DNA sequence: TTCTCTCATCGTATATTTACGATGAACGAT
DNA sequence: ATCGTTCATCGTAAATATACGATGAGAGAA
């Protein structure tokens, strides 16, 4: 592209688009579900459940962390990942708001 | 990248990720809102409201059409765009389902 | 210390996205 | 038939995303 023009939009729309971007790969949708289903949630556990290499999974986790949808707590050599309920709640609320504005339902 | 591995995931997760991808740019969030707010909804009207060129807006409209979030009805030389309530409703429902699975709320 | 386990990051290749101007197709009006 | 309006698509450039193997950092165990 040329320079991105994303920053020229409203903060609210930029934030929602950013959350949507984090959810825009099936691996990341799956990771969120896995983190909820499992109590122990190491990166290695996720790698075993996905058809992706460790480094690729790590990149997807980074993208989810970037928008604060998940967090990783260091526990010795391991990292325990879990979903961030506060951000999920905000995302749910803002998406609801969008759909209520946009959808006749 | 190497070849994409998106197709190796569950249909449900792929669909939701695809909807999220369509929502992953603030211009497309804005377009959905504009289409709802306005009754007449030509491409040119949208171009005037966004800091983007006509060809770029047309590309964003194409991405929203790709996942059936909007539709364009040809009216002479014009194209009248409007949101597709059926898909919006499905997206709302599936996103709600995701957040109810994933979020303790 | 040395070995192992866990994970992030680096380097790299390729695909996709974003953006624009230019062009062309389709239609109504003159 | 020609002109103007509307919009999609083509061509192009540059940024970003996706994927992997290799490497390295950090912590606990031997």
């Amino acid at each position: 592209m040329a320079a991105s023009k994303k920053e020229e939009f409203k903060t609210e729309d930029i934030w929602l688009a950013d959350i949507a971007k984090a959810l825009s790969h099936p691996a990341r949708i799956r990771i969120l579900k896995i983190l909820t289903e499992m109590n122990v949630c190491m990166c290695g556990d996720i790698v075993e459940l996905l058809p992706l290499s460790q480094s690729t999974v790590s990149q997807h986790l980074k993208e989810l962390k970037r928008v604060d949808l998940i967090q990783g707590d260091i526990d010795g050599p391991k990292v325990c990942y879990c979903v961030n309920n506060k951000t999920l709640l905000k995302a749910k609320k803002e998406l609801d708001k969008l759909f209520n504005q946009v959808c006749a339902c």
Side-chain angles (χ1 to χ4, degrees), chain A:
Chain A
M1 45 168 147
S4 173
K5 298 206 164 174
K6 284 186 181 175
E7 297 311 314
E8 297 183 28
F9 291 85
K10 290 179 191 166
T11 309
E12 187 187 325
D13 291 345
I14 293 170
W15 187 83
L16 207 47
D18 223 22
I19 290 293
K21 186 158 81 73
L23 298 176
S24 73
H25 194 294
R28 294 195 287 266
I29 301 268
R30 189 82 193 89
I31 287 171
L32 285 180
K33 290 182 180 175
I34 289 170
L35 290 186
T36 306
E37 286 162 14
M38 295 178 68
N39 292 327
V40 180
C41 45
M42 286 162 30
C43 178
D45 296 331
I46 299 167
V47 173
E48 281 181 22
L49 295 170
L50 299 184
L52 299 170
S53 72
Q54 183 267 321
S55 60
T56 303
V57 170
S58 191
Q59 270 184 139
H60 283 306
L61 288 167
K62 191 180 180 182
E63 173 67 10
L64 288 168
K65 260 195 293 186
R66 184 183 63 83
V67 295
D68 213 29
L69 278 173
I70 67 171
Q71 61 192 66
D73 301 311
I74 296 169
D75 171 28
K78 305 175 182 180
V79 177
C80 181
Y81 283 101
C82 56
V83 296
N84 188 333
N85 270 306
K86 195 175 164 189
T87 308
L88 279 169
L89 196 57
K90 187 180 174 194
K92 182 182 160 69
K93 197 178 133 193
E94 293 296 322
L95 280 167
D96 267 349
K97 194 175 149 191
L98 174 69
F99 281 106
N100 286 336
Q101 275 179 59
V102 146
C103 178
C105 43

